[in-house]
Amino acid sequence: NAGVTQTPKFQVLKTGQSMTLQCAQDMNHNSMYWYRQDPGMGLRLIYYSASEGTTDKGEVPNGYNVSRLNKREFSLRLESAAPSQTSVYFCASSQRTSGIQETQYFGPGTRLLVL
Amino acid sequence: QKEVEQDPGPLSVPEGAIVSLNCTYSNSAFQYFMWYRQYSRKGPELLMYTYSSGNKEDGRFTAQVDKSSKYISLFIRDSQPSDSATYLCAMRDLTGTASKLTFGTGTRLQVTL
C-alpha cells in the first residue's frame, strides 16, 4: 500500500498563476483533508471531505477550491496564486474504525513557492 | 488566543534524558487527544492517542491528559537521536462525521549524542 500520495512534491508559481495539487489514498478511507503548514502557525485545515460527494470549508479556505473526484482522490486548486499561499500543503485521509477512534494518515506534502 | 498552545522550542536534550512535551487548550469540547511526530520534510505520523484523563503508555512514550486543567503532555523516556523531530499535539471534539483536528504549532526536539 502506498498510503497517501501527493503530486507534485515541489512547485514554483508566479503570482496570478493557477495550479491543482493532487492527492490520492489507497486505504479506502471515507474522509480526506487538505492542510497547510506554516512556521509558527502549525497545521491549519483548508478544506475537508467527510465522504465522497461532500466537501466543507475548514479554518482557512479563502483562495482555494477542492474537488472530491471519487473516493480515492481529493484535489486542491489555487485559481490565482498569491505570495501568501507559499506554504507546505499536506493531504490526509481517515476512517472511523470503532467508537471514536479515527486516525488521520498524512501524505509527504507539496512545497509551494509563489513569487 | 489560539485554541491550542504549544511551546515551539527548540528543545535540546542529551541522549538518555527524559523529555516532557506539553500543550494547553481552551476548548472544553475537545475530548480526543493525539500526538503526532513529524520528521524534517515528511508528513506527520500518529504516535499516540487517548480520549480520557490519565496516562497511556506505549514503550518509551507516555501520554498524559488532565482535562480539568486543559493540559496534555507527552513524555519520552531514554530519548534517542532517532527521536529528533517535531512533535505536534492535536485534538478534536466528538461531533461531526469527519475527524477535524486542531493542531498545536509543534515543538522541535533535538536529541544529541
Side-chain angles (χ1 to χ4, degrees):
Chain A
N1 282 356
V4 178
T5 56
Q6 292 182 236
T7 55
K9 286 186 171 54
F10 181 71
Q11 183 73 45
V12 179
L13 290 179
K14 293 180 181 177
T15 297
Q17 288 184 319
S18 63
M19 79 162 295
T20 300
L21 282 67
Q22 306 286 355
C23 174
Q25 52 94 8
D26 62 2
M27 296 174 283
N28 202 35
H29 287 170
N30 283 333
S31 302
M32 298 186 73
Y33 313 80
W34 275 106
Y35 293 90
R36 59 178 290 174
Q37 188 173 37
D38 303 289
M41 301 296 290
L43 281 158
R44 292 181 293 169
L45 184 64
I46 304 171
Y47 271 94
Y48 67 100
S49 171
S51 60
E52 187 178 356
T54 69
T55 60
D56 283 289
K57 295 178 181 179
E59 183 184 352
V60 288
N62 290 347
Y64 305 95
N65 284 301
V66 291
S67 295
R68 184 73 183 268
L69 304 169
N70 48 56
K71 192 171 186 180
R72 289 187 64 247
E73 299 171 289
F74 189 37
S75 63
L76 179 72
R77 183 159 179 83
L78 286 71
E79 292 291 351
S80 179
S84 61
Q85 294 178 304
T86 293
S87 188
V88 182
Y89 291 85
F90 288 100
C91 177
S93 70
S94 70
Q95 176 86 5
R96 192 160 297 182
T97 51
S98 61
I100 61 172
Q101 184 176 338
E102 185 166 354
T103 300
Q104 286 193 20
Y105 295 87
F106 284 80
T110 293
R111 294 180 173 273
L112 177 65
L113 174 62
V114 183
L115 301 174
Chain B
Q1 185 188 4
K2 293 179 183 175
E3 281 190 296
V4 179
E5 299 278 358
Q6 184 175 10
D7 187 331
L11 180 62
S12 183
V13 301
E15 183 179 8
I18 296 174
V19 176
S20 172
L21 304 166
N22 311 295
C23 289
T24 59
Y25 62 97
S26 58
N27 188 346
S28 58
F30 288 145
Q31 298 291 323
Y32 191 53
F33 305 93
M34 287 141 281
W35 286 96
Y36 278 81
R37 178 175 60 195
Q38 185 177 21
Y39 291 113
S40 181
R41 295 183 173 266
K42 301 288 186 183
E45 57 179 346
L46 182 68
L47 200 55
M48 295 189 72
Y49 69 89
T50 183
Y51 48 86
S52 58
S53 284
N55 294 350
K56 181 178 181 180
E57 192 172 315
D58 184 2
R60 296 185 295 111
F61 299 89
T62 299
Q64 189 175 80
V65 174
D66 182 349
K67 289 184 181 178
S68 62
S69 302
K70 296 189 179 67
Y71 188 87
I72 69 170
S73 299
L74 178 71
F75 299 95
I76 307 174
R77 291 182 299 280
D78 188 24
S79 56
Q80 303 295 311
S82 58
D83 295 327
S84 298
T86 297
Y87 290 81
L88 301 141
C89 63
M91 47 199 80
R92 70 174 176 95
D93 60 33
L94 300 183
T95 60
T97 54
S99 174
K100 291 172 58 181
L101 299 179
T102 301
F103 283 86
T105 53
T107 299
R108 190 155 61 91
L109 172 67
Q110 181 73 38
V111 180
T112 58
L113 292 169

